[in-house]
Amino acid sequence: MERPLLILLAALASGILAAALPGWFVPPWLLPLTAACCLAALVARQQALLVASLVSLCLVWGNLALQPLLKPVFPPNHLARLQPPEPVVLTAVVDRRPETGERGSRLYLEAESVRQGDRSLPVTGRLLLYVGEGRATVSTEDRILVRTRLRQPRPFGIPGEYDMQRRLALQGIYLTGAVATAGEVQLLQPGAAHPFQRRIDLLAARLGDFIQRSVAPPEAGVLRALLIGDRGAAGRQTEELYARTGVNHILTIS
């Protein structure tokens, strides 16, 4: 058989697509079953059965890889289970480099605790915090305090709209929050964990600020997107121009 790995790769991709697009999920017990079939075919030296078993194994494996993200089972203290209707005071750690938008910014957070009234509850779970105006002066692994209302990301119901809910779910994010200005994000402890990653992100932020001071827009935004991966700095209009000319992948790869 020529190029058998391509067949296995196609099976793996098919399993992933079945889970991601139509939302078809296979039962978890199929994984050990197909693995046992592979072992039995290997011992019996049955090539055709071995290939069929490996294809089935890759198909099931790809499908099950997305199930914890698209069909999660939340622990009791997960934010998605709590989701109180009123705003909460949230303590969280920034677990990814903040993203700059045209006016505001976005923070990816790993929740640690929420305070409701006089109670403070330890929690787990990631969320995306939208900052309406300005850029919060925080970096990866900073511990912050913010008051926000937690919401599930939902589509607007517009035909053909981008499925933001699924995109966030693939990143393990099932809740969002929002604040009006960057001043509402309070820094509690800089570099609470993984200081090496924080140094890299601070260096990227300083480079972005230098580009912004030294180069006129919109070229500054393009350079920030290309050099440090800050796509939000490029702006929606610039991204649309890149898309129309068929070279938007340059910004995406960066």
Side-chain angles (χ1 to χ4, degrees), residues 97-98 100 135 139-140 196-212 223-225 227-230:
R97 186 182 303 176
T100 304
R135 184 183 184 278
S139 186
T140 307
F196 181 72
Q197 180 62 44
R198 185 171 184 269
R199 291 193 189 99
I200 295 175
D201 291 347
L202 288 175
L203 178 61
R206 286 197 292 269
L207 178 58
D209 293 340
F210 173 77
I211 294 172
Q212 202 69 37
L223 284 175
R224 289 178 64 175
L227 295 176
I228 61 175
D230 190 0

Side-chain angles (χ1 to χ4, degrees), residues 89-91 112-123 145:
V89 177
L90 174 72
T91 302
E112 291 186 334
S113 66
V114 295
R115 191 168 71 239
Q116 295 178 273
D118 297 331
R119 294 191 310 160
S120 181
L121 303 174
V123 294
L145 183 74

